[in-house]
Amino acid sequence: MDDVILCLFVCLVIPIGMSMLILKDRSRYLVLFMIFGMFMCLFAGQVNSLIQSLTRLDTYTMTTSMTPVVEEILKGIPILALYFIFKPERQFMLECSIMVGIGFSLLENGFILLSNAGGITFVMALFRGLGSAMLHVATTVSIGFGISMFGIKKKTFMPGTYAVMLAAMVFHGVYNMFVQSSKLMYFGIILPVLTFIPLVLYVVKARNKNV
């Protein structure tokens, strides 16, 4: 299955990357960060597989404890790099954070659908697509917002960044726990919606205010 996700990554990145030949300025950076998100998903799959092989954790324990930690740290890397290298305005940080989350969920969903092609239904694909996208966007936007807010002062940057990363990990772990529960599955569907919509509305409102 490692070959499948690698082939999927290549097939998606090539056409998406080609769009950067005609895009300019801000749009080009947004597409680039979506590719970063896809690469982090590919890398996270390798790291998670290695951890599971070393610890021999069962799937439930792995996805509710280790996977959220690995994925949120890796998703935070391009956002931290953006902040340290360019010191961008908060709005641009949030937009790039959104694209990292979208890229991550795009590759993750594609791989999961391919892995379960025989038993997948349209409704399952719909809920999977919405839930995963909202989850990863919500956590990456939270990380981007926290870094831009706490980075104003050196004293608050380290503890503030640690706090938002930890919150993203916990939120991700709770989501994974809900969606794997037969009784609490619908809470897993609702949870990302309750966080995604307010965050996106904030980003859109802030963007319109700056126009």
Side-chain angles (χ1 to χ4, degrees), residues 28-48:
R28 181 177 292 176
Y29 280 106
L30 293 177
V31 172
L32 179 62
F33 273 84
M34 182 169 68
I35 294 175
F36 285 157
M38 295 171 65
F39 176 77
M40 289 305 172
C41 180
L42 178 68
F43 189 38
Q46 302 302 312
V47 175
N48 287 330

Side-chain angles (χ1 to χ4, degrees), residues 21 29 31 41 96 111 131 141-142 157 170 172 175 179 181 190 200:
L21 297 174
Y29 280 106
V31 172
C41 180
C96 288
F111 176 67
V141 169
S142 299
F157 178 74
V170 172
H172 193 160
Y175 169 81
V179 295
S181 170
I190 296 171
V200 171

Side-chain angles (χ1 to χ4, degrees), residues 8-19 35 38-39 107:
L8 179 63
F9 173 78
V10 172
C11 289
L12 291 175
V13 164
I14 290 176
I16 292 173
M18 289 171 63
S19 68
I35 294 175
M38 295 171 65
F39 176 77
L107 189 66

Side-chain angles (χ1 to χ4, degrees), residues 6-193:
L6 179 59
C7 292
L8 179 63
F9 173 78
V10 172
C11 289
L12 291 175
V13 164
I14 290 176
I16 292 173
M18 289 171 63
S19 68
M20 296 178 65
L21 297 174
I22 59 174
L23 296 174
K24 296 173 61 177
D25 303 328
R26 198 182 192 97
S27 298
R28 181 177 292 176
Y29 280 106
L30 293 177
V31 172
L32 179 62
F33 273 84
M34 182 169 68
I35 294 175
F36 285 157
M38 295 171 65
F39 176 77
M40 289 305 172
C41 180
L42 178 68
F43 189 38
Q46 302 302 312
V47 175
N48 287 330
S49 297
L50 177 61
I51 292 175
Q52 190 166 23
S53 66
L54 293 174
T55 60
R56 301 190 183 278
L57 294 173
D58 60 87
T59 302
Y60 180 81
T61 304
M62 183 70 192
T63 55
T64 55
S65 59
M66 297 304 301
T67 298
V69 175
V70 172
E71 293 185 356
E72 297 309 326
I73 289 175
L74 291 178
K75 286 190 297 181
I77 290 175
I79 303 172
L80 282 167
L82 174 66
Y83 175 78
F84 281 118
I85 297 172
F86 297 104
K87 299 288 184 181
E89 59 179 4
R90 179 175 296 173
Q91 181 64 25
F92 188 58
M93 279 275 292
L94 297 180
E95 291 174 2
C96 288
S97 300
I98 288 175
M99 297 308 289
V100 171
I102 289 175
F104 195 100
S105 64
L106 179 64
L107 189 66
E108 182 183 74
N109 285 338
F111 176 67
I112 289 176
L113 291 178
L114 285 175
S115 303
N116 302 277
I120 201 70
T121 64
F122 175 77
V123 175
M124 291 170 62
L126 180 64
F127 281 118
R128 173 69 207 179
L130 288 173
S132 174
M134 289 183 178
L135 167 75
H136 289 300
V137 168
T139 52
T140 51
V141 169
S142 299
I143 293 170
F145 181 82
I147 291 172
S148 63
M149 181 175 65
F150 293 114
I152 297 174
K153 296 181 179 180
K154 291 184 178 180
K155 291 183 179 180
T156 60
F157 178 74
M158 289 296 292
T161 301
Y162 175 78
V164 294
M165 292 286 287
L166 184 61
M169 294 171 191
V170 172
F171 180 80
H172 193 160
V174 171
Y175 169 81
N176 285 353
M177 180 184 69
F178 280 157
V179 295
Q180 294 181 84
S181 170
S182 57
K183 295 181 179 180
L184 302 174
M185 181 178 63
Y186 292 105
F187 286 99
I189 298 171
I190 296 171
L191 188 63
V193 177

